[in-house]
Amino acid sequence: MGTPRSGTNLAKYLIERYLEIPVIFDQGFWKHGVFPALIDGRDMRYGDLPIVVVSKDPVTQLLSWYRQARNDTLFKPSGCLSSFLSKPFEVRQDFTEPRKMEYRFRTPADYWNQFYFAMDALRRTGIPVHFACYEQLVSAPASCLNAISRFLDMSTPFDAGAVVTIPEHKLGASNDIDRDESPIIDDSRFDPVRAELTSALARIGWRNASVILRNIDDDVLEATGRAGFRKKCRDAAGAKAMLRSLVGFW
């Protein structure tokens, strides 16, 4: 599970290649959809499989969505970044042709909040849910695979010191409705810089970043393994960037 462009395809690729465990998407609920409250009597239904939830930090994530909105597929396009961050946000399922199912949220940050809050709420019921950070998948994949292998209770945990190779090219988007195998690799080069907070902050500016941070819940940041994220953003942006933003505002 994970929001679009959060690293679900990368996580699937790494788990299947290095842990040799098959991974499925879209079983009972859409991998990008806010988890529905499916019940059987008093029991929660979730597919009876352990769930790995991948998240990208909200600043780089919303920048990624803004880029993707330009192609008018999963997201409806928006003119400028500031408008995109503040207006209602619509998400379309990517396989329900010819009429796509849509979801609407107050803002893009509202979608990020609701999606990961729902997955954390599911975890708090006792259902096996494990959170993995996209930026750590890219920077320390062996350590992430070790944590996932322990979550899956593998008899021999994955070696946290092993060499894990990130694909040189992007992984094509996929779901299991159309095919069973792992995502194919497309022709575009994989860019690890897109996982870096500093790079995202430089692109969007502190004023837009502050809009995102005002709309993100602290509880959700902590649930996704990002306690202290606001301070990390301030440190990454630097005092000069924040000052320039305030001067321009006034």
Side-chain angles (χ1 to χ4, degrees), residues 8-96:
T8 52
N9 291 310
L10 176 61
K12 177 173 181 174
Y13 172 86
L14 293 175
I15 292 171
E16 290 187 329
R17 177 174 180 180
Y18 290 97
L19 301 188
E20 300 180 346
I21 295 175
V23 179
I24 59 172
F25 292 144
D26 309 315
Q27 291 291 311
F29 47 89
W30 187 37
K31 68 174 177 176
H32 298 320
V34 174
F35 185 82
L38 301 177
I39 61 173
D40 181 8
R42 296 185 182 275
D43 297 325
M44 187 78 73
R45 295 175 55 196
Y46 63 95
D48 297 322
L49 291 172
I51 303 172
V52 174
V53 180
V54 189
S55 68
K56 186 181 288 185
D57 81 71
V59 172
T60 55
Q61 181 66 90
L62 269 64
L63 176 59
S64 179
W65 290 346
Y66 174 66
R67 290 190 180 112
Q68 189 174 7
R70 298 172 186 171
N71 63 24
D72 194 20
T73 53
L74 285 177
F75 312 128
K76 289 187 177 180
S78 182
C80 64
L81 179 59
S82 60
S83 174
F84 175 80
L85 295 177
S86 60
K87 287 186 175 181
F89 185 62
E90 295 187 7
V91 186
R92 305 163 177 163
Q93 282 188 340
D94 57 354
F95 57 84
T96 53

Side-chain angles (χ1 to χ4, degrees), residues 132-153:
C133 295
Y134 171 76
E135 51 269 34
Q136 293 176 3
L137 273 177
V138 174
S139 64
S143 177
C144 285
L145 289 172
N146 173 266
I148 292 172
S149 69
R150 292 179 182 278
F151 161 69
L152 297 175
D153 199 24

Side-chain angles (χ1 to χ4, degrees), residues 61-250:
Q61 181 66 90
L62 269 64
L63 176 59
S64 179
W65 290 346
Y66 174 66
R67 290 190 180 112
Q68 189 174 7
R70 298 172 186 171
N71 63 24
D72 194 20
T73 53
L74 285 177
F75 312 128
K76 289 187 177 180
S78 182
C80 64
L81 179 59
S82 60
S83 174
F84 175 80
L85 295 177
S86 60
K87 287 186 175 181
F89 185 62
E90 295 187 7
V91 186
R92 305 163 177 163
Q93 282 188 340
D94 57 354
F95 57 84
T96 53
E97 297 287 2
R99 186 175 180 178
K100 295 181 178 179
M101 184 70 182
E102 295 183 342
Y103 307 84
R104 175 173 286 188
F105 301 88
R106 184 173 56 85
T107 61
D110 185 39
Y111 173 41
W112 195 91
N113 281 330
Q114 290 199 40
F115 184 96
Y116 292 109
F117 181 84
M119 298 313 301
D120 184 50
L122 189 66
R123 176 173 64 176
R124 284 184 270 114
T125 68
I127 288 172
V129 173
H130 174 79
F131 281 88
C133 295
Y134 171 76
E135 51 269 34
Q136 293 176 3
L137 273 177
V138 174
S139 64
S143 177
C144 285
L145 289 172
N146 173 266
I148 292 172
S149 69
R150 292 179 182 278
F151 161 69
L152 297 175
D153 199 24
M154 294 178 62
S155 57
T156 303
F158 186 79
D159 182 2
V163 175
V164 175
T165 303
I166 298 293
E168 294 183 359
H169 295 80
K170 292 181 182 178
L171 297 173
S174 69
N175 59 64
D176 290 340
I177 301 300
D178 300 323
R179 58 192 183 84
D180 297 326
E181 67 271 18
S182 289
I184 59 172
I185 298 178
D186 66 25
D187 294 330
S188 304
R189 300 288 295 183
F190 178 79
D191 183 7
V193 174
R194 293 203 171 189
E196 295 179 0
L197 178 61
T198 303
S199 175
L201 287 168
R203 284 175 168 83
I204 70 174
W206 182 251
R207 187 184 301 177
N208 286 321
S210 64
V211 171
I212 296 173
L213 294 174
R214 282 198 301 270
N215 291 320
I216 293 297
D217 291 341
D218 286 332
D219 289 343
V220 184
L221 286 173
E222 185 173 355
T224 61
R226 296 184 174 86
F229 180 71
R230 298 177 193 280
K231 182 179 184 303
K232 183 177 180 180
C233 285
R234 291 193 295 269
D235 292 344
K240 289 184 178 179
M242 288 182 279
L243 181 61
R244 285 196 300 269
S245 177
L246 290 172
V247 171
F249 176 78
W250 291 109

